[in-house]
Amino acid sequence: MKAVLINGSPRRKNWNTVTLLEEAEKGLKELGFETEIINLYAQLYRGCISCFLCKKKKNIDKHICLYKDDLTPILEKSMAADVIIVGSPVYFGEPTGETRAYLERLFFPVTSYMVDENGNRISILNKTKPTAMIYTMNAPENIAGQINYPILLGNSVSAFEMLFGCSEVLYAYDTYQFTDYAQYEANMFDPDHKIEMRDKQFPIDCKKAYELDKRLGQMALANQ
Ligand SMILES: Cc1cc2nc3c(=O)[nH]c(=O)nc-3n(C[C@H](O)[C@H](O)[C@H](O)COP(=O)(O)O)c2cc1C
């Protein structure tokens, strides 16, 4: 059994998103999964270019984006995996650009434009694949709720749910952003509060990431 964990943060070591993915990876490894953390920002690629090759009748069963660039092997690994976990910081209320581009190209080839005789959308994939989004953000939980983050960020979770049959989400709020807040022009943040969140809340979020992935791994094993 295989799991891919996609890091949609440009920061590849020690920072929030990748740390949560590493915790998630532990849960999957304990269940015997072969795992890989893939750093999107190490690759050069673009989002969906609307070529519609994946929608051609001759290609519809391929389930993969046919435009070739650095993302191609990552998309292949994602589709071959039994579990997909995508972690992203929130940038301007959305996943990062690279995460978004990855999701467009993962989702579109398995998005059906076909309906049955009752007008219901026909699924392209007939096997459930457990998936999850892990989001990290500056916003505290109450502010994130007020500015509609659960709806904005929930779009990709809903797409995963619709296309792959199963999705969960974990939000890590009020994350620690700079190594030393004193060096930055950023007085809207209270550094002591951020340190407290880093030292008390973030370990709880790490535990949630571990538990989330253990749960998804168990689902994937049960689906076998
Ligand atoms: C370009 C940019 C835009 C950001 N926009 C938001 C935002 O809209 N809302 C928010 O809560 N945090 C925002 N942040 C903060 C990051 O989401 C947060 O620090 C995140 O935990 C960083 O993840 P990382 O440590 O894995 O890189 C932004 C950060 C950057 C660099």
Side-chain angles (χ1 to χ4, degrees), residues 193-208:
H193 169 74
K194 284 289 188 185
I195 287 170
E196 196 182 335
M197 290 302 288
R198 182 193 66 191
D199 294 347
K200 292 199 178 136
Q201 182 57 43
F202 196 65
I204 297 172
D205 294 332
C206 285
K207 190 161 175 281
K208 285 187 192 162

Side-chain angles (χ1 to χ4, degrees), residues 33-174:
F33 276 74
E34 198 182 303
T35 61
E36 184 179 2
I37 295 184
I38 297 174
N39 288 298
L40 291 182
Y41 279 77
Q43 312 298 332
L44 286 176
Y45 61 92
R46 57 217 301 209
C48 174
I49 58 156
S50 231
C51 68
F52 298 120
L53 279 175
C54 66
K55 289 283 161 278
K56 288 211 161 162
K57 290 180 178 167
K58 63 177 183 169
N59 291 328
I60 204 75
D61 291 331
K62 293 188 174 153
H63 303 166
I64 193 93
C65 173
L66 293 152
Y67 179 78
K68 304 284 181 214
D69 62 12
D70 286 3
L71 198 61
T72 304
I74 299 173
L75 294 168
E76 285 167 357
K77 283 179 186 174
S78 303
M79 290 309 292
D82 303 285
V83 174
I84 306 173
I85 312 294
V86 180
S88 178
V90 174
Y91 281 5
F92 301 100
E94 298 192 28
T96 60
E98 265 70 355
T99 307
R100 169 76 200 198
Y102 161 81
L103 291 175
E104 286 173 7
R105 288 181 55 196
L106 181 74
F107 289 161
F108 197 53
V110 294
T111 299
S112 174
Y113 277 174
M114 295 294 284
V115 290
D116 65 17
E117 59 280 8
N118 300 316
N120 297 319
R121 197 81 81 95
I122 297 171
S123 298
I124 287 192
L125 297 179
N126 50 21
K127 194 169 173 260
T128 297
K129 191 192 296 262
T131 66
M133 292 291 311
I134 296 179
Y135 285 112
T136 72
M137 67 193 87
N138 249 332
E141 185 168 3
N142 61 329
I143 303 288
Q146 284 167 25
I147 54 180
N148 286 333
Y149 278 6
I151 293 169
L152 297 170
L153 302 172
N155 284 335
S156 40
V157 186
S158 306
F160 260 130
E161 174 82 37
M162 183 177 78
L163 301 172
F164 291 84
C166 172
S167 192
E168 293 205 22
V169 63
L170 173 63
Y171 298 115
Y173 303 102
D174 217 347

